Amino acid sequence: MEDRPLADLFPPATRARWLGLVDGVLKGGDFEKRLVAKTADGIRIEPLYDAAAPVAQPVRAPGPWRVAQRVDHPDGAQASALALADLEGGADALTLVFAGAPSARGYGLTATTAADLDAALGNVMLPLIATRLDAGARGIEAAFLIRDVVAARGEPLKGLDLDLGLDPIGTLAAGGSLAEDYGAEIARTLAAFDAEGFSGRACLADGRPYHEAGASEATELAAVLATAVAYLRALEANGHPLERAREAVAVLLTADADEFLTIAKFRAMRRLWARVEAACGLDPRPLRLHAETAWRMMTRRDPFVNILRTSMAACSAGLGGADAITALPYTAALGLSDAFARRVVRNSQIVLIEESNLARVADPAAGAGSFETLTGELTTAAWAAFQAIEREGGLVASLRAGAIQGRIAAIQAMRARNVATRREALTGASEFPYLAEKPVTVLDVAPVAAPPAAGFGSGSALTAPPLPSLRLAEPYEALRDASDAALAASGRRPAVFLANLGPVAVFNARSTFAANAFAAGGIEAVNQEGFTDPAALAEAFRASGARIACLCSSDALYATHAVEAARALKAAGASTLYLAGKAGDLAAPLKAAGVDGELHAGGDVLALLTGALAHATNA
């Protein structure tokens, strides 16, 4: 056999060769529709990217990111015990969540004196860890409480890795009210701390209010950047050198389970901040960039899936350059998380850092075509959105006018449609629900009333329409709650009879699809058999006790059996009848035979389930 060069045997991979292979698989299908996706900002997600030359990318300070755990138990002794367990178990940062803060979700530290807070931090050695305060409108009060705790312990503020977390603009966005002299108040607070040797961050530009309301990546980045710039201006206008003002501002971005966009968003934030520094005439310095996993992606149903979501989110934030990551425990949407849930979310990050060694590379995404392209396009989109906010007079003016709220609402409406049609799948809620799931354990702690908030300043109040805090799974969870109530009242769940036509090989695909879809609304599918005799089908439906039914089979069998089967089911008492798939040319005769709706991919499954649940539970 003649020897041939390897290049002839294995020709180099090229985009042209790849496109040729794709064309063969698509067989005339639309490349754009099949393989190209778009983000909420309209940024294209290509199926294949060429390698990219690395772009100068600001990165975090050398070393791994910090694993931050929430301290949010209302009882000081319990809060201290949980915090110590986290630190002994490998965490090296704490996020002190005070009652009344939006992120407290009805719980949080109730400390109103330094003694109270000291008890909640019993035996916690603050000089050895990083600490961030999350107190919402109680931010200044909380800042002075931690100062007094440190003073009582005889520990200097100087050298503490401390973020005071003051975010008055975020308070306006989430709560709808803010004192007009907020800038002077945060400047006075920083001056008081600096006089005692403080060198940490006072202000936090927090992306959570915008993300929880439905904001896109570019919108969240723009809002955060506009907030940070507003704090720079306020601190400088009230006597702080610009260099110190820059060092006093930190940023918090949300991290969700979309690996590509989360990594790109965190990288883009550092580029955007470097652009602001350059515009201010400052030499770039590493931005303190916090991350918290997204509240809006958390589910109450099948909460163990939240472990996967938060692990992916934390991993992506770390790879994107976050300095400290607070990951929500998998039971966070159900109540106050116990030690086990806290350990799981803590260990997930420790594995990423210590065993997977993901923090050893300063910028793992450098040179990857997909990440470099997305980072660049997201930076461009966010800068344009930031400029739009600046043209509106800054973020406070935009919030007061309801402008940014309107833009976020439009994005959220699109996102809600994607959730309703399951284009944006929520595993355990809208996809692959498990009706027999067992309840998980949370701490038996009642929500607490938040102490009165002093707010930021004492001037006249600025008001704005508050942004909502949403979880994507809520509409499906409401249906599941109604199903649980029916089960508790009657001893059985609302049911749908699957009217399978023909042999299992013919109906199985659509029958499985229908059972999955109905379960997302808490409706249990009954019947695994196939039928060809309408009379036998009708008798099986009557015996099932169900009130609604769904025809499941192939298009070919629908053409020959569906109309007759529909008439038989209606005559047997089916109040509502669905067809799994699209009726096509059979739409008119099937409607005349009693078919009330179609269940198919891309349809509004949420609306269909809402109606189906009502029909399944009403006599």
Side-chain angles (χ1 to χ4, degrees), residues 406-426:
R407 294 193 287 271
I408 292 175
I411 298 168
Q412 172 57 25
M414 177 182 66
R415 199 182 304 279
R417 289 194 297 271
N418 289 341
V419 169
T421 59
R422 301 199 298 181
R423 182 176 180 179
E424 187 167 345
L426 307 173

Side-chain angles (χ1 to χ4, degrees), residues 15 39 145 225 268 306-307 309 393 395 411 456-457 526 535-536 540 607:
R15 177 172 287 274
T39 73
L145 287 180
L225 192 63
N306 290 328
I307 298 174
R309 295 186 182 100
L395 187 56
I411 298 168
F456 296 91
V526 296

Side-chain angles (χ1 to χ4, degrees), residues 21-379:
L21 294 172
V22 170
D23 287 341
V25 173
L26 291 179
K27 298 178 180 178
D30 191 312
F31 179 92
E32 292 287 324
K33 290 183 177 179
R34 296 285 187 87
L35 296 179
V36 177
K38 287 189 177 181
T39 73
D41 294 303
I43 297 173
R44 290 167 61 90
I45 306 293
E46 302 283 356
L48 182 69
Y49 291 86
D50 295 327
V55 178
Q57 172 66 41
V59 296
R60 67 169 169 260
W65 69 83
R66 287 188 176 271
V67 178
Q69 292 285 91
R70 289 163 58 91
V71 183
D72 54 0
H73 199 297
D75 180 84
Q78 292 297 317
S80 173
L82 291 169
L84 287 172
D86 286 326
L87 295 172
E88 291 167 0
D92 56 359
L94 295 177
T95 300
L96 309 186
V97 183
F98 285 74
S103 65
R105 317 291 174 193
Y107 301 99
L109 296 171
T110 55
T112 57
T113 67
D116 293 338
L117 185 57
D118 190 47
L121 295 173
N123 296 318
V124 172
M125 304 168 78
L126 293 174
L128 301 182
I129 65 171
T131 308
R132 175 169 63 85
L133 307 186
D134 189 348
R138 296 179 62 203
I140 290 178
E141 174 193 354
F144 283 102
L145 287 180
I146 194 74
R147 183 201 65 173
D148 294 345
V149 168
V150 171
R153 293 181 176 187
E155 299 167 350
L157 276 175
K158 184 178 181 180
L160 280 187
D161 192 344
L162 176 62
D163 283 79
L164 302 182
L166 305 180
D167 187 23
I169 296 177
T171 299
L172 175 65
S177 181
L178 174 65
E180 190 173 16
D181 61 345
Y182 73 90
E185 189 66 20
I186 60 173
R188 282 192 292 269
T189 302
L190 178 60
F193 272 71
D194 282 358
E196 299 184 27
F198 179 65
S199 59
R201 282 74 47 192
C203 300
L204 181 70
D206 190 348
R208 288 175 296 179
Y210 312 97
H211 191 273
E212 290 175 17
S216 65
E217 288 75 22
T219 304
E220 181 189 357
L221 285 169
V224 165
L225 192 63
T227 303
V229 168
Y231 294 152
L232 284 180
R233 290 171 175 154
L235 293 175
E236 186 183 29
N238 286 278
H240 291 278
L242 187 56
E243 179 74 28
R244 176 59 182 126
R246 183 263 302 271
E247 297 295 335
V249 175
V251 163
L252 188 153
L253 294 178
T254 52
D256 63 29
D258 189 314
E259 173 193 0
F260 284 81
L261 285 176
T262 297
I263 291 175
K265 181 170 72 174
F266 277 78
R267 297 177 84 235
M269 184 68 242
R270 291 196 179 276
R271 292 189 190 182
L272 291 164
W273 185 245
R275 187 177 294 187
V276 168
E277 289 177 308
C280 294
L282 297 170
D283 293 331
R285 295 284 300 275
L287 168 70
R288 176 55 65 96
L289 181 54
H290 297 276
E292 184 166 294
T293 58
W295 172 252
R296 80 181 184 200
M297 73 178 179
M298 301 295 280
T299 63
R300 291 171 50 227
R301 298 293 177 164
D302 204 356
F304 292 107
V305 182
N306 290 328
I307 298 174
L308 305 179
R309 295 186 182 100
T310 56
S311 296
M312 177 56 74
C315 174
S316 302
L319 295 177
D323 291 294
I325 301 175
T326 304
L328 301 180
Y330 72 93
T331 56
L334 293 163
L336 194 60
S337 300
D338 62 10
F340 176 76
R342 296 170 68 94
R343 185 179 70 181
V344 168
V345 77
R346 179 185 74 230
N347 285 351
S348 296
Q349 290 196 66
I350 292 172
V351 168
L352 294 172
I353 294 171
E354 302 294 343
E355 297 186 24
S356 300
N357 294 305
L358 296 187
R360 288 185 177 271
V361 180
D363 183 20
S370 56
F371 291 114
E372 293 288 11
T373 301
L374 287 174
T375 301
E377 292 184 352
L378 193 50
T379 301

